[in-house]
Amino acid sequence: MSDKKKSPGQEFQYTPKSVWDRVTDAEKKEILALGEDYKAFLSAAKTERLATAEIIKRAHGKGFNELIAGGGPKKFYVNYRKKSAALVHLGTEDPIRGINLIVSHIDSPRLDLKQRPLYEDVEIAHLKTHYYGGLKKYQWVARPLALYGIVVTGDGKEVQIALGDGPDDPVFLVSDLLIHLAGKAQMDKKISEALPAEKLNIICGSIPVGDTEAKERVKLAILQHLHDTYGIIEEDFISAEIEAVPAGPARDVGFDRSLVGSYGQDDRASAYSALSAVLSVQEPTKTCAVFFLDKEEIGSDGVTGARGRIIEEVAADLLTASGKEASQTNVWEMLAHSRCISADVNGALDPDWQEVHEKNNAALLGYGPCITKFTGSRGKYMASDASAELVGWVRRLFNRAGVVWQYGELGKVDEGGGGTIAKDIAERGIDVIDIGPVLLNMHSPFEISSKADIYMSCKAFRVFLEST
Ligand code: MN
Ligand code: MN
């Protein structure tokens, strides 16, 4: 018999544990089942507009309705200019004593079409792009892309574009230079210089119009096609928002199917978890308000971002719905008494690039949602540093409820860094902490999450929303 007695001091050690080691076989089945729904969400919600529609569709199915002027309903949704959303579930307690907020974002890095995108070169029609958010440009070439968005025509019609994910749809792509000729042009350069942004041009056609005397014959043929199919003309692109995103659905990864590979998991992994949480809450004491915001990847500026006024507007709405006066004083007082989870993903310890992480403070895939006390870079610059009191409260909450969670910060000190919406929430006088699943391959066209982390994040967010 081996001696299992612990050494002195061992019982005081902190040892994070894998979710897979902490759940029952029945829960493992639940984790894999939830993964199916998670993939369906990711595949349906590839842009902020599609995510907004999907979130509201799911909320509607669970009894959420539009706000009614003059009070109620108890569960309502706000579609904020079609690119952000909020779900509110009114509690039994006076909201001015504080509410439970979760903020996530539903925009992801991608290639946006420019406002004058279409041109022809060497008898191939192209669409010029302006990339959105932080991306490694080389990951976006030589891979199938889908186009999604909206075109507003000269007479004000809104035309939806969705092409590249249907079984018979064509796809689009940015071509890359053949290796045989790439030596001086690319391979000898720094990665950041090997692919200039103005070479991220999307191939979209090659058949010319029949008139051999005409100029730009392929471009003309594409314009004809666009007019026949969508009723749009070239000038309409100026009032369009078309995003090129990776084509194809979310997929299982690995022999054991434990991981999910998909575009857009930053931050739709957190958005999905927050959505599942708020949809499962029954009769909350404190009012729950969950936000799905736009523009995080470019700094949260803009009317649909966290630095806009959506939070104050929804705060006023929920006061009205609760029969309270939606005065500015009441809004500020309610927010000041509230707690907020800034639900955003963090980077997982990368097995192939461990040298950029500091292992004691790095998060692991499969170890549950990651609590991050602060983000920022170069000495916590631009960070909202959650207080020890708030971190302590969250630890107690999760430990009591059996949530498997972990702690992690993004990389070694001075290695790089990044921010979240947390600081925009803190600016409003709300206590806020970053918590979310971790990803490998973050900001790439095929990010990797663990189904165990998604499951535990749903649980963590629900426990938070139900907290008093
Ligand atoms: Mn994010
Ligand atoms: Mn991001």
Side-chain angles (χ1 to χ4, degrees):
M1 289 236 338
S2 64
D3 184 7
K4 288 254 175 82
K5 234 173 65 185
K6 286 181 175 173
S7 313
Q10 222 173 358
E11 63 196 288
F12 306 122
Q13 236 176 1
Y14 168 58
T15 314
K17 288 207 178 75
S18 161
V19 173
W20 299 110
D21 288 336
R22 297 270 301 271
V23 292
T24 60
D25 285 347
E27 274 180 303
K28 279 184 193 165
K29 283 205 180 105
E30 278 177 52
I31 289 173
L32 297 176
L34 186 77
E36 297 305 303
D37 187 55
Y38 176 50
K39 285 184 292 173
F41 176 81
L42 291 171
S43 303
K46 285 193 175 184
T47 68
E48 63 280 15
R49 286 175 186 269
L50 292 170
T52 297
E54 180 68 15
I55 286 161
I56 288 173
K57 189 178 107 190
R58 284 175 176 235
H60 202 76
K62 293 275 186 178
F64 283 72
N65 282 295
E66 266 181 70
L67 194 64
I68 303 161
K74 271 193 73 176
K75 298 197 282 185
F76 68 86
Y77 62 78
V78 175
N79 181 339
Y80 201 73
R81 299 166 205 223
K82 299 183 252 182
K83 293 199 257 184
S84 289
L87 301 182
V88 175
H89 190 162
L90 298 180
T92 48
E93 187 183 279
D94 182 349
I96 294 175
R97 294 177 60 188
I99 63 171
N100 292 333
L101 293 143
I102 301 180
V103 295
S104 62
H105 69 92
I106 50 174
D107 62 317
S108 296
R110 62 189 188 240
L111 303 179
D112 283 344
L113 296 198
K114 287 192 184 187
Q115 302 322 120
R116 290 191 65 186
L118 186 62
Y119 72 98
E120 170 180 341
D121 207 357
V122 201
E123 291 174 44
I124 298 175
H126 288 83
L127 298 162
K128 287 208 74 74
T129 67
H130 193 142
Y131 69 92
Y132 174 99
L135 51 81
K136 290 165 144 179
K137 298 183 191 79
Y138 69 82
Q139 293 178 335
W140 290 76
V141 297
R143 61 171 302 130
L145 299 172
L147 297 179
Y148 287 101
I150 181 177
V151 182
V152 179
T153 65
D155 55 4
K157 270 207 299 288
E158 295 180 4
V159 181
Q160 303 294 328
I161 308 285
L163 199 58
D165 276 321
D168 298 323
D169 282 359
V171 293
F172 300 84
L173 87 156
V174 178
S175 178
D176 197 8
L177 181 60
L178 69 169
I179 182 71
H180 312 70
L181 298 178
K184 273 182 277 182
Q186 285 186 310
M187 307 305 281
D188 294 347
K189 292 185 175 165
K190 281 166 57 178
I191 286 181
S192 59
E193 289 161 8
L195 198 55
E198 290 296 351
K199 288 192 194 287
L200 295 177
N201 301 315
I202 293 172
I203 290 178
C204 69
S206 67
I207 303 177
V209 292
D211 175 4
T212 52
E213 300 301 304
K215 283 187 180 148
E216 300 192 295
R217 296 165 60 218
V218 179
K219 176 181 167 179
L220 293 182
I222 295 296
L223 281 173
Q224 186 64 53
H225 172 83
L226 290 173
H227 192 263
D228 293 346
T229 312
Y230 299 106
I232 60 176
I233 60 172
E234 190 173 11
E235 191 182 306
D236 293 333
F237 279 112
I238 292 173
S239 48
E241 287 175 359
I242 302 175
E243 307 177 8
V245 297
R251 305 283 297 267
D252 286 339
V253 173
F255 289 118
D256 61 5
R257 299 177 179 271
S258 58
L259 307 172
V260 171
S262 170
Y263 167 68
Q265 296 192 74
D266 177 3
D267 183 33
R268 297 182 199 119
S270 313
Y272 173 82
S273 304
L275 174 66
S276 305
V278 71
L279 295 187
S280 65
V281 166
Q282 312 279 340
E283 304 288 325
T285 305
K286 283 194 177 290
T287 291
C288 307
V290 177
F291 290 82
F292 308 90
L293 302 173
D294 183 26
K295 298 284 183 280
E296 194 276 343
E297 295 295 357
I298 56 169
S300 291
D301 292 308
V303 73
T304 49
R307 297 171 69 82
R309 285 290 162 259
I310 176 173
I311 291 172
E312 284 73 13
E313 285 188 34
V314 172
D317 284 345
L318 78 84
L319 282 170
T320 308
S322 323
K324 299 272 164 191
E325 191 201 342
S327 67
Q328 205 175 356
T329 318
N330 279 349
V331 167
W332 288 122
E333 193 181 341
M334 176 178 81
L335 294 180
H337 290 134
S338 298
R339 288 191 187 100
C340 179
I341 288 180
S342 162
D344 206 345
V345 293
N346 204 333
L349 176 65
D350 190 318
D352 286 325
W353 298 93
Q354 299 187 33
E355 64 272 26
V356 305
H357 303 273
E358 185 270 289
K359 274 195 189 166
N360 246 9
N361 288 279
L364 297 174
L365 213 54
Y367 275 57
C370 173
I371 295 178
T372 301
K373 190 171 178 299
F374 53 85
T375 58
S377 54
R378 300 181 311 282
K380 303 192 180 180
Y381 192 75
M382 298 287 278
S384 152
D385 194 352
S387 70
E389 289 86 341
L390 180 58
V391 181
W393 178 84
V394 168
R395 267 180 62 205
R396 288 195 298 282
L397 180 75
F398 286 176
N399 286 340
R400 270 203 301 264
V403 172
V404 182
W405 57 274
Q406 60 180 326
Y407 181 78
E409 70 178 76
L410 186 61
K412 280 181 176 165
V413 181
D414 283 349
E415 190 73 42
T420 64
I421 294 173
K423 62 181 178 356
D424 303 307
I425 300 302
E427 237 176 58
R428 296 164 156 109
I430 306 171
D431 262 330
V432 58
I433 181 164
D434 281 299
I435 303 174
V438 295
L439 303 178
L440 280 179
N441 228 356
M442 200 158 96
H443 277 213
S444 81
F446 198 68
E447 301 172 309
I448 307 295
S449 66
S450 164
K451 290 179 183 175
D453 293 340
I454 302 304
Y455 176 86
M456 264 315 151
S457 298
C458 293
K459 184 169 175 176
F461 293 165
R462 180 178 174 171
V463 163
F464 169 77
L465 289 175
E466 289 174 339
S467 69
T468 53

